[in-house]
Amino acid sequence: MTKTCDGEGAGAVVGAGAVVGVGEELGDAFAVGVGLAVGCTAATGVGLGCAAVRAGPQAATAITASIGKAMRLASGRWEFHVRPERGGRITSLRLDGEELLDQGIGVDQPTAKSFVEGGAWGWDEIVPNLEPTDELPDHGEAWRLPWEVLDEGMMRCRGRLVPWELQRRIELDDAVKVAYQYRNVGRSTQLAYWCAHPLFRYESGMEIGAEVPSALGEGASTKVFLPAGSVDHIVLGWSSGKRIAVSWDASLTPDVAIWMCNGDIGGYRQIAVEPATASPVLEAGASFAWWLRITPL
């Protein structure tokens, strides 16, 4: 098995066999101070980093992070591209060279107020909430924050408004396994909410192994909530012949929704398989672990 973890900018070694690219505008590392938010325009026109400015509800806790502009993981049939500075977003997931994730409609602005305004494409982690509240942004904090690169395929993010920490490790073999750990880094109990948000490409007539509409009209979208704990995998298949099974442990992440969009909200064509935790209560310092797997069929 061959694994690579390559930077797309200047390289900074952060783990055995791992090289993470660091964009010139970010430098090798940066510190985010208490009460500071970061904002910068990267080479692609977006990004978090560079200038520290006073912020309101999205103020940062003290973090020192080694943030790469972009990173690449590859092994066998699989290739990932990840943007640590862009909320840890997985921007590309290729199987035998074929892109499986929706690449969006050209919108990429992580400082936007809502998730869709910021660009709904690729694969994000939704933590610690889905719907916006008076204090928390739409689709949570994780997609808006820079992630710290710990090792080959391993990254971590900490909340600024709620004291959570999410660690994610991507392992590539015949299948893709993504291992997660949520930790309460605060001083009181909290609900450990997480929802997967991989936005796969949608095609009319594609195979979807769930009880959802068989087809969507042009410009339509829908979200289907499956009975809690009723499924532990869903098969997706495209006209190219590529088929995958997205699987999880239904006892750990029992709540599942399927989002389907065929040209709605500006022209997105995507389908998301969204297993989620049932928001277990964590005491201060406690953690909760689970996993997600993608297997080619």
Side-chain angles (χ1 to χ4, degrees), residues 12 27 32 37 67 83 87 125-126 128 133 144 148 155 171 181 187 190 203 208 250 252 257-258 267 279 282:
V32 180
I67 307 295
R83 293 266 302 280
E125 313 298 343
I126 307 305
T133 70
R144 301 168 63 92
E148 181 182 4
M155 302 172 64
E171 297 180 349
Q181 184 179 70
R187 297 181 179 179
Q190 64 176 257
E203 294 178 349
I208 305 171
L252 300 174
I258 308 296
S279 299
L282 292 186

Side-chain angles (χ1 to χ4, degrees), residues 4 10 19 61 67 70 87-88 134 151 153 196 222 227 235 262:
T4 63
V19 179
T61 54
I67 307 295
D134 290 341
D151 202 344
T222 188
V235 173
N262 187 25

Side-chain angles (χ1 to χ4, degrees), residues 28 53 66 75 107 120 154 156 159 176 179 181 238-239 252 257 291:
D28 292 333
V53 295
S66 178
S75 178
V107 179
M154 181 180 287
R156 176 175 64 193
V176 174
Q181 184 179 70
W238 291 269
S239 59
L252 300 174
W291 54 267

Side-chain angles (χ1 to χ4, degrees), residues 86-106:
R86 178 55 167 103
R89 173 172 283 183
I90 299 168
T91 58
S92 177
L93 169 58
R94 294 178 177 270
L95 174 60
D96 298 329
E98 180 175 328
E99 181 62 66
L100 302 185
L101 296 178
D102 178 32
Q103 295 299 291
I105 57 174

Side-chain angles (χ1 to χ4, degrees), residues 187-238:
R187 297 181 179 179
S188 59
T189 60
Q190 64 176 257
L191 302 179
Y193 178 80
W194 163 88
C195 176
H197 210 260
L199 294 167
F200 296 102
R201 291 187 297 108
Y202 176 80
E203 294 178 349
S204 294
M206 70 179 294
E207 178 183 0
I208 305 171
E211 294 187 12
V212 296
S214 58
L216 288 179
E218 178 65 29
S221 64
T222 188
K223 191 167 188 177
V224 178
F225 294 88
L226 305 180
S230 62
V231 296
D232 62 5
H233 73 281
I234 289 176
V235 173
L236 299 177
W238 291 269

Side-chain angles (χ1 to χ4, degrees), residues 13-36:
V13 178
V14 296
V19 179
V20 176
V22 179
E24 293 84 345
E25 67 284 311
L26 296 180
D28 292 333
F30 65 89
V32 180
V34 176
L36 299 178

